[in-house]
Amino acid sequence: MSTIRMPGDVRVFTLVEARALFPLVQHITAAAYQELNPIAASLRAGVAQRSELEHLEQRYEAIIHRWVGKMERLGVVVTGLWLVDFDTGDGYLCWRYPEAELGHYHGYQQGFGQRRPVQEVIAREHPSWAESPES
């Protein structure tokens, strides 16, 4: 079970720990995405009255802030809308909704565009975060 953290208190994960927490991160993100989807569609369609627009914008922001807060309390790093990183101590395991698995990695000085498949990183670099506790 994961410890709830204070916002900004980043956790360092092993691959096993990140994968254990991933279903919860995925579930929370999917729920927030589904909640936000009709609001985003209304905003894209345009709203006739200013008061309705302001209400939709407030709901939109509240959903995003709530999602960010939940991710931070789990110890993951929010790097964009529906995009999170799990700190490994030497880089990040990277996930973006709606990807089905936690399958990418990038270093601290790299970003989303430079991410590589986790299995490739493990095979080439044998990072300590990928070692099983039995090793």
Side-chain angles (χ1 to χ4, degrees):
M1 177 135 207
S2 181
T3 303
I4 302 298
R5 300 180 173 277
M6 294 298 295
D9 186 13
V10 177
R11 175 180 171 189
V12 175
F13 292 88
T14 65
L15 182 59
V16 169
E17 292 168 335
R19 285 186 171 160
L21 185 61
F22 175 68
L24 179 59
V25 169
Q26 189 178 35
H27 173 75
I28 291 168
T29 303
Y33 178 86
Q34 293 302 321
E35 185 179 2
L36 189 68
N37 215 21
I39 296 167
S42 293
L43 289 169
R44 282 191 301 271
V47 180
Q49 297 178 4
R50 176 91 178 134
S51 62
E52 186 178 357
L53 176 62
E54 288 174 2
H55 176 70
L56 287 172
E57 288 173 342
Q58 289 171 354
R59 287 181 54 209
Y60 187 99
E61 286 184 27
I63 293 165
I64 298 300
H65 285 285
R66 191 169 54 244
W67 173 74
V68 169
K70 288 177 181 181
M71 294 299 106
E72 289 178 346
R73 286 189 300 277
L74 291 173
V76 299
V77 179
V78 174
T79 58
L81 186 57
W82 318 133
L83 179 61
V84 297
D85 288 341
F86 295 75
D87 192 339
T88 65
D90 69 1
Y92 297 107
L93 295 165
C94 179
W95 177 73
R96 177 178 62 180
Y97 181 81
E99 294 172 342
E101 64 181 27
L102 181 58
H104 294 89
Y105 172 87
H106 62 81
Y108 287 137
Q109 302 306 315
Q110 301 164 324
F112 182 85
Q114 292 84 34
R115 67 189 196 149
R116 301 178 292 157
V118 168
Q119 294 308 324
E120 175 187 306
V121 173
I122 292 170
R124 291 184 183 187
E125 300 174 19
H126 309 287
S128 61
W129 50 261
E131 296 173 7
S132 65
E134 299 84 38
S135 298

